[in-house]
Amino acid sequence: MMRFSLLFLSAFLILLIAAHAQEKEIKNDIVETDSIRKGIYLSFREFKRNSPSNTNEFHFLKTSDKQVARGALPNFLYQVDSLGRRDTITHGIWGFSTGKDIYKLEEGDTIVPSYYTKIISVGRYCYYEDHLIYSIDAGGLLTGSPTIKRQKQIPYIININNGRVFRLEDKLMRSILEDDPEVLAQYKAEKNRKENYGKYIKMYSDRHSEQVK
């Protein structure tokens, strides 16, 4: 019985040590951290430091592509105060984290409402894609459908060192990759460059973490 107890205790300690070793480390650096803190970022600095200052309860709601094509808001964020009141957030923040995914606010105006875009990769250059909904005049060819709505994917990057946002296109991509001949060569040989911008930005960022300040 004593031997069984010792074996059980040993096994328990081994599992405890293994679980502790696998714990994700939380750092005040969005690039280096293993775990993203949940909350609302009031500024780019809070995002970069993985330190959202607004940790109130919040909910993020997304609509389907079909609903968006019909004119619905792509998504929206609202927080709940101590009295249970809901407040939709359309301006005044940088973005938020669910603890798993990160979203950046795209502030709208009286014509185009505010919405949120998902950050696809984080590194020397953070990559995300904006999905623009636009209308095409069908010229009356489609019965009951004078216009057709289409979605256009627009790639963007965020310079992690200063928070500046740039629309990504071929010339800028080449400029970024020029100090890494190996990745640049792969990019030049790529047949579908526009569809793979995110792939090369992540590849470059992973190889050049020393550039992060």
Side-chain angles (χ1 to χ4, degrees):
M1 185 68 179
M2 179 65 73
R3 182 179 179 184
F4 175 80
S5 297
L6 289 173
L7 287 173
F8 179 82
L9 181 59
S10 298
F12 176 77
L13 288 174
I14 291 173
L15 289 173
L16 188 63
I17 293 171
H20 180 72
Q22 292 177 359
E23 283 184 3
K24 293 184 177 181
E25 186 176 3
I26 302 177
K27 295 183 179 180
N28 293 331
D29 187 319
I30 199 66
V31 176
E32 296 185 0
T33 190
D34 294 325
S35 183
I36 304 170
R37 293 189 178 101
K38 181 179 179 179
I40 297 172
Y41 309 114
L42 301 185
S43 65
F44 169 75
R45 177 178 173 78
E46 289 188 7
F47 158 70
K48 184 177 179 180
R49 291 184 56 77
N50 188 31
S51 301
S53 60
N54 184 336
T55 55
N56 293 336
E57 176 188 349
F58 68 84
H59 300 274
F60 181 54
L61 302 180
K62 293 185 285 187
T63 53
S64 67
D65 290 341
K66 288 184 178 180
Q67 290 173 313
V68 172
R70 295 191 188 105
L73 198 66
N75 50 55
F76 62 94
L77 176 76
Y78 71 87
Q79 64 179 340
V80 182
D81 65 17
S82 58
L83 298 177
R85 294 174 299 194
R86 298 183 178 185
D87 176 29
T88 302
I89 302 176
T90 59
H91 63 280
I93 68 171
W94 188 89
F96 70 94
S97 163
T98 63
K100 179 181 177 181
D101 297 316
I102 297 170
Y103 290 84
K104 179 181 178 296
L105 172 65
E106 302 297 332
E107 286 200 19
D109 49 35
T110 55
I111 299 176
V112 180
S114 299
Y115 59 97
Y116 294 83
T117 52
K118 182 179 179 179
I119 304 296
I120 298 174
S121 65
V122 173
R124 172 63 182 90
Y125 294 101
C126 302
Y127 179 81
Y128 71 94
E129 296 169 350
D130 196 353
H131 297 269
L132 175 67
I133 304 296
Y134 63 97
S135 298
I136 299 176
D137 186 354
L141 296 177
L142 300 178
T143 304
S145 300
T147 60
I148 303 175
K149 290 198 173 183
R150 291 286 185 266
Q151 188 175 110
K152 184 177 182 180
Q153 183 174 294
I154 306 174
Y156 286 91
I157 56 171
I158 305 169
N159 185 328
I160 197 65
N161 290 333
N162 54 33
R164 295 181 64 188
V165 176
F166 299 90
R167 180 170 176 171
L168 190 59
E169 36 74 34
D170 184 67
K171 184 177 180 180
L172 178 57
M173 179 68 83
R174 288 171 182 265
S175 175
I176 291 171
L177 302 182
E178 65 181 2
D179 65 344
D180 192 323
E182 184 177 344
V183 177
L184 180 59
Q186 290 183 48
Y187 174 74
K188 288 181 176 179
E190 179 68 55
K191 293 182 179 179
N192 300 309
R193 293 176 186 170
K194 289 185 178 180
E195 290 77 9
N196 288 283
Y197 280 162
K199 168 186 171 182
Y200 287 95
I201 283 296
K202 187 177 188 310
M203 188 186 302
Y204 180 87
S205 294
D206 289 346
R207 290 164 61 101
H208 297 278
S209 58
E210 81 284 350
Q211 294 182 7
V212 178
K213 299 176 183 179

